[in-house]
Amino acid sequence: QAQFVESGGGLVQPGGSLTLSCVASGTIFSIHVMAWYRQTPGNQRALVARITTSNRTDYADSVKGRFTSSRDNDKKTLYLRMSNLKQEDTAVYYCNQHFTPGAWGQGTQVTVSS
């Protein structure tokens, strides 16, 4: 089964930047549409960004223009570059295959606070 390990989260001030990484295993990474999700306490996991096998991307309206997703198929790694972070971006961030999800990882906590 596909498995994912997210990293790169942390505490950042409003307006700051972070880059998240997600390393995949147990899957043929290059053939899957990949996605980033985020979850806050008491809420369902929400889609943040998707990237196709041909590197086409789309984003939730709330992050459009601030977040950029990319992928390195050779390294089986998905990235999320987040800039101009806002307090409402505070969440645990996860990655997964969008159409055929594998096991969910632990996620990485992003906290935006002054």
Side-chain angles (χ1 to χ4, degrees), residues 26-102:
T27 184
I28 306 174
F29 180 79
S30 61
I31 68 171
H32 290 283
V33 175
M34 294 299 298
W36 285 99
Y37 304 83
R38 65 187 181 187
Q39 187 172 26
T40 55
N43 293 305
Q44 290 189 338
R45 212 170 271 131
L47 179 65
V48 173
R50 289 185 303 188
I51 182 166
T52 70
T53 56
S54 56
N55 289 320
R56 292 177 65 179
T57 54
D58 62 283
Y59 302 92
D61 287 344
S62 59
V63 307
K64 219 171 271 187
R66 301 187 298 119
F67 288 14
T68 302
S69 185
S70 61
R71 63 194 296 166
D72 184 330
N73 289 335
D74 291 337
K75 295 182 179 178
K76 291 190 171 183
T77 302
L78 182 70
Y79 301 98
L80 186 67
R81 172 66 177 174
M82 307 184 296
S83 59
N84 191 20
L85 282 161
K86 305 176 180 180
Q87 286 189 328
E88 51 263 42
D89 295 318
T90 295
V92 179
Y93 285 72
Y94 302 87
C95 70
N96 212 320
Q97 295 165 176
H98 182 61
F99 293 113
T100 55

